[in-house]
Amino acid sequence: MFRETALSGQTTFFQKVRSLDYILLMCILLLGIISALSMYSTDGGEILYHTKSHLLRFVIFFSMMLILSFIDIKFWHSTGYIFYLIVLGFLIWASLYGITSSGSQRWVDLYFINLQPSELMKIAIIVCFAKFYHRVQINSVNSFKNIIIPLVMLITPILLVVTQPDLGTSILIALSGLVVLWLAGVNAKYFIYSFLGLLISLPFVISFLKPYQKLRILTFFNPDKDPLGAGYQIIQSKIAIGSGGLNGKGFLKGTQSYLEFLPEKHTDFIFTLFSEEQGFIGSVFLLLLYAIIIYRVGKIGSTCRSFFGKLFCYGYASSLFIFISVNMSMVLGLLPIVGSPLPIMSYGGSSMLATMIGFSIVMSAKVYQKRLIA
Amino acid sequence: MISGGSDGGYRKFSLVGRRMFILSAAKVIIFGGIVARLFSLQINENKKYLTLSDKNRLREWKLPPVRGDFKDYFGNTIAGNLKVYQLHVIPEQVENFNHLIVRLKSILNFDQKTLSKIIKKKNSQKAWETLIISENLSWDQFSKINFYLHELPGAKPVLSVARNYPYNENFTHLLGYVAQASENDLINNNEIKKRHVPGLRVGKIGLEKTFENKLIGSNGIQRYEVNAYGKRINQIDYIEGKKGEDIRLTVDTKVQEECNNLLKDKAGSISVMDIYTGGIIAMHSSPSFDPNLFLYGISFENWNKIRENPKKPLINRTITGLYPPGSTIKPIVALSALENNVISTNFKVNCTGKMEMYGQTYHCWKDTGHGVVNLRDAMKVSCDTYFYEMSRRLGVDRLNETAKKFGLGAKVFDNAYNEEKKGLFPSTKWKKNNLGKGWVLGETLITGIGQGYVQSTPLQLCLMTAQLANGGFKIRPKIIVSKDDHDYEYIKNKMEQNFEEKMKGPEQDDALVDFGDFQKDELYKPLFRNRENVKFVLDSIFASTNEVRGTSYGSRINDKKYQFAGKTGTSQVKKITETQRELDLDISQIPYNERDHALYVAFGPYKNPRYAMSIFIEHGGSGSSAAAPLAKKLFKVIIDRHEEREKIRINDKLNTNV
């Protein structure tokens, strides 16, 4: 107990402020500005509803993240399961009394915000696993009990989200969880076996899919088959990005989005709009910005002395990477269209909240990097 | 339990570090893949996607082509284009169509009928097709629409052009008219299909139809940027269309108007032709109608009025009406007889008013008879008995040869009018082939006075007269002025040359020598064997108009400048029974449909003729009382216009020579 106090408990507030990762903060801030400008572009060069509300959310959640950064990492560790259970509770609430929009029951009405708990689950699952593996000894990581409990914890929310139905988010939750399992040291052969198992069961899985989901997968393999129907989004997205060229069409000059050829341009296809207007250079710059963020989060993880903090940072960095690459691959026509927002860039309060909570845990891991958790 | 520090804790930390390292490597590869994909889309395939993006956002709108004008010989526009104010709506772009239409109704004062018509039209076309609310707004309505435009989202006031016929009913049959392109027009004419826009007017009949491809012009193009829903955002480009070719006709508006006046309230036709160039000076069929009525869709009342008129205004009598030519054919019969040496000019017949032959009685139009007449007198007084005897000796087949040479039984124009009729001049062979019966000799007699099987259009009679009047030379009738047209002087010289060549050729005084196939007769070549015969016939026609007892003596003009020569014709519609003959009814006592057709063919000025004409009055009575007087009035106008025409001709000639 003494050592703990000596190492981290006695740091002053000023020291804590100094120990924040400013490069990471700057990158997030820059990303926020870019996202606000992109929203401004989707609104047709006017400050309308989307721009205003996106900017407001960014400011509120970014400030919240700064404040939460000073919460001791121990707090996150001790509330890990509770956080997970609360989000799970919201998921059950959503599936029972949720708000239905465009055929999917995803939201719960919290009076001040329409919360999409599945977005929060992307973070909660990482916190929960980080806490779980914090205590597990290396020798017993691959024991039956230590495999089956996380799997139950992972599959429960996934089933809830799939039945909403929201295939995209459930895949992302699954990938987030799996990547933490991998990092925690679960034997690689399990991954290989389950991958093979999935491959074999794929025909059965597909038979359970909704018709529109099947169509999306078919469309992915041949978007030109039905250019005005299911293939429309991906074709228009590729046209927009491709026509951007090296330098892009210029800010507010993306004809594909401005003339409304782009679907979902506020949310899933925000990168398409950005890429059309800013071109190859802008796109690579944005990708670089994300890469720096992922790198910084990973770096914080590597300096963490607690296994909880380390695993969370690694896990969060990896899931951020997954969200980004799935979204980009999707709009670039490399993956089938599944609903997956681009962190911070995409319009959406829950996604923004979840992302910022993630950053605040990372930041608190940085501030309290020397903290050991018993 | 302390998690850090122990050996197990260390191994745990190093494992997670290792695995993170592996993941990081994967991340670099995947991000690299994304960059590669961006590169391939944005750099390598940029051109392809840029084109696709432009294809997405740019739409072209074809504008209606502006139709070429028709001008008369003097350059007056007889079919042109009028600026019109229209109101278009694209239903797809209107939020609340019913609301808009109610608002428009009150602004434009539409009645309920117009309104339901518009709604019907809207339902019959696609939502993105332009709906023409009104084709012809007054300036008042147009400015009102513009004033209220802000409360009429989706309504588009448009400045357009529409066909206009400034001379109304004067040129209707000559030009034809235009109306909205039909399904058939699109199928039959590729040029129309290529240029088609909603509301496009195309030629339906007459020259408007024949020269459609010349007149139609090319579409203007408006290029707009549109959004994903097809809504026009802004205009990017505008390419002006090319107006169709103007077509200059040989006709003279003044003469045409006079023809229209002369035929007011009558059913009939007048055609006037230049006897050397073959140019049509005027060509009118009466009654006519105003083609402007068809432009915006004719109203039911107007259409019924035209359709139910017993005189049938829709028929172009000049080229599609077939009538027995009556005595107007006598010059050809006389010429044929002379050319074939059947009679000499001194041949005499005693006319007693009727003639018994083959067991039937053939009457002369004059019951009391003409007494002993020679050929010249027979032409002058139009003695039927003389022509019965002459054609009996001539035979129908030799008459047929001559008649065909002079243009009977064949289309006058090559291809100016699709609807033109050929008419018929009988022969023994024709009857055998078509009716399956042998020729009866009595039929020759009535053929000789232009009755029986003979059927001709009024224009054919005009051509026949023109080819006689120019001295018996073949000409090609035409209605369109073109650069390669031969001038009057050239033609006249050419005719003389051709005649001299013919004289140098082998002598042909054998009566039985075949004239040859009439269709092979070349332009400006003589159609006769002996020039004197033609001269004699022309002189006898002159006598018919300008000497006492001549059938059209009453319509003569003594002034040498205007003096003309003509032959009357009265053709029977119905066989006259003996009782009717005895009654000798006045024309007003005979039902309209049984009255004779009145005809008159003429040429002038007599000294050095230039123009030929044919006048036809359907059920007009006798040629001398109904048709010939019109010629007198018309010749005044034609000859007075001649100087003007010559000025233009000489001017044209100078221009082409330069």
Side-chain angles (χ1 to χ4, degrees), chain B residues 61 88-97 100 127-130 152-156 224-227 229-233:
Chain B
W61 265 266
H88 295 184
V89 165
I90 298 178
E92 193 183 45
Q93 298 176 3
V94 182
E95 263 175 54
N96 188 339
F97 186 80
L100 175 74
W128 57 82
E129 283 176 344
T130 307
L152 303 167
K156 261 179 290 179
Y224 279 93
E225 190 171 62
V226 298
N227 69 10
Y229 309 106
K231 187 180 169 164
R232 300 182 199 195
I233 306 297

Side-chain angles (χ1 to χ4, degrees), chain B residues 396-397 400 424-428 430-431 439 447 453-455:
Chain B
V396 72
D397 288 336
N400 175 284
L424 171 69
F425 202 96
S427 66
T428 50
W430 165 82
K431 194 179 173 191
W439 186 262
T447 305
Y453 298 118
V454 199
Q455 298 256 281

Side-chain angles (χ1 to χ4, degrees), chain A residues 133-139 179 182-183 185-186 188 232 236 238-239 241-246 249 255-256 258-261 275 279-280 283 287 291 294 304-307 310-311 314 317-318 321 324-325 328 332-334 373, chain B residues 1-4 6-9 11-13 15-17 19-20 22-23 26-28 30-43 45-47 49-54 56-57 59 225-229 233-234:
Chain A
Y133 284 105
H134 179 73
R135 290 203 174 267
V136 175
Q137 293 295 322
I138 182 76
N139 303 323
V179 81
W182 158 266
L183 287 166
V186 174
Y232 183 78
Q236 293 302 339
K238 274 162 77 180
I239 291 173
I241 294 171
S243 62
L246 182 66
K249 291 178 181 169
T255 54
Q256 284 284 102
Y258 165 62
L259 298 170
E260 298 171 56
F261 289 100
S275 189
F280 181 70
S283 308
L287 202 61
I294 292 165
C304 247
R305 288 194 61 183
S306 68
F307 190 75
K310 192 182 277 289
L311 191 56
Y314 283 174
S318 303
F321 164 80
I324 293 160
S325 41
M328 288 190 178
L332 285 167
L334 295 169
I373 301 166
Chain B
M1 189 162 117
I2 295 168
S3 54
S6 70
D7 179 49
R11 270 174 49 213
K12 204 166 145 187
F13 273 85
L15 178 68
V16 76
R19 292 210 161 172
M20 184 63 187
I22 295 170
L23 262 183
K27 286 176 198 172
V28 171
I30 290 175
F31 266 19
I34 289 174
V35 173
R37 176 67 168 181
L38 276 168
F39 188 87
S40 108
L41 286 180
Q42 297 194 299
I43 311 294
E45 297 189 288
N46 177 238
K47 268 227 176 86
Y49 286 111
L50 215 52
T51 320
L52 285 172
S53 145
D54 279 347
N56 258 347
R57 75 188 175 98
R59 287 275 187 305
E225 190 171 62
V226 298
N227 69 10
Y229 309 106
I233 306 297
N234 54 35

Side-chain angles (χ1 to χ4, degrees), chain B residues 543-587:
Chain B
S544 158
T545 306
N546 297 291
E547 288 177 12
V548 189
R549 287 178 65 216
T551 48
S552 53
Y553 183 64
S555 304
R556 75 194 179 279
I557 305 175
N558 286 326
D559 186 341
K560 286 272 182 294
K561 188 180 164 195
Y562 301 107
Q563 195 171 43
F564 66 93
K567 178 75 199 77
T568 55
T570 308
S571 71
Q572 277 168 230
V573 179
K574 231 183 133 191
K575 201 169 165 148
I576 304 173
T577 59
E578 288 302 318
T579 37
Q580 277 172 327
R581 201 172 287 280
E582 267 153 44
L583 282 171
D584 194 18
L585 291 169
D586 189 69
I587 179 159

Side-chain angles (χ1 to χ4, degrees), chain B residues 602-615:
Chain B
F603 61 92
Y606 185 68
K607 286 262 141 99
N608 197 13
R610 294 293 297 272
Y611 301 102
M613 67 165 72
S614 79
I615 296 172

Side-chain angles (χ1 to χ4, degrees), chain A residues 337-349:
Chain A
I337 304 282
V338 288
S340 72
L342 189 59
I344 299 185
M345 285 289 282
S346 285
Y347 180 82

Side-chain angles (χ1 to χ4, degrees), chain B residues 411-557:
Chain B
K411 284 189 180 183
V412 173
F413 292 112
D414 292 338
N415 47 18
Y417 296 90
N418 294 330
E419 61 270 27
E420 192 182 346
K421 293 248 168 75
K422 262 169 71 174
L424 171 69
F425 202 96
S427 66
T428 50
K429 205 171 138 197
W430 165 82
K431 194 179 173 191
K432 190 104 199 130
N433 289 344
N434 289 278
L435 301 181
K437 286 182 198 157
W439 186 262
V440 181
L441 282 173
E443 288 167 348
T444 309
L445 303 199
I446 53 169
T447 305
I449 60 160
Q451 296 282 160
Y453 298 118
V454 199
Q455 298 256 281
S456 61
T457 66
L459 190 64
Q460 284 174 335
L461 299 180
C462 185
L463 174 63
M464 174 193 87
T465 314
Q467 291 187 140
L468 275 173
N470 66 21
F473 293 90
K474 176 135 182 111
I475 57 171
R476 184 191 293 139
K478 57 165 192 180
I479 192 155
I480 284 158
V481 178
S482 93
K483 268 201 295 204
D484 335 309
D485 283 346
H486 294 308
D487 185 63
Y488 155 67
E489 272 133 20
Y490 169 89
I491 294 169
K492 205 163 173 175
N493 286 335
K494 189 83 192 164
M495 285 174 175
E496 271 321 301
Q497 265 177 36
N498 287 342
F499 173 68
E500 273 157 33
E501 250 168 57
K502 183 188 168 73
M503 295 311 286
K504 274 185 237 152
E507 226 167 287
Q508 299 179 329
D509 48 19
D510 187 348
L512 297 173
V513 164
D514 200 298
F515 273 87
D517 193 344
F518 74 99
Q519 274 166 331
K520 282 184 191 150
D521 285 327
E522 281 168 51
L523 207 50
Y524 313 136
K525 287 265 168 78
L527 299 166
F528 53 84
R529 192 181 302 145
N530 185 346
R531 184 169 235 182
E532 294 310 312
N533 293 337
V534 178
K535 277 190 178 158
F536 180 87
V537 170
L538 292 179
D539 176 60
S540 63
I541 298 174
F542 177 78
S544 158
T545 306
N546 297 291
E547 288 177 12
V548 189
R549 287 178 65 216
T551 48
S552 53
Y553 183 64
S555 304
R556 75 194 179 279
I557 305 175

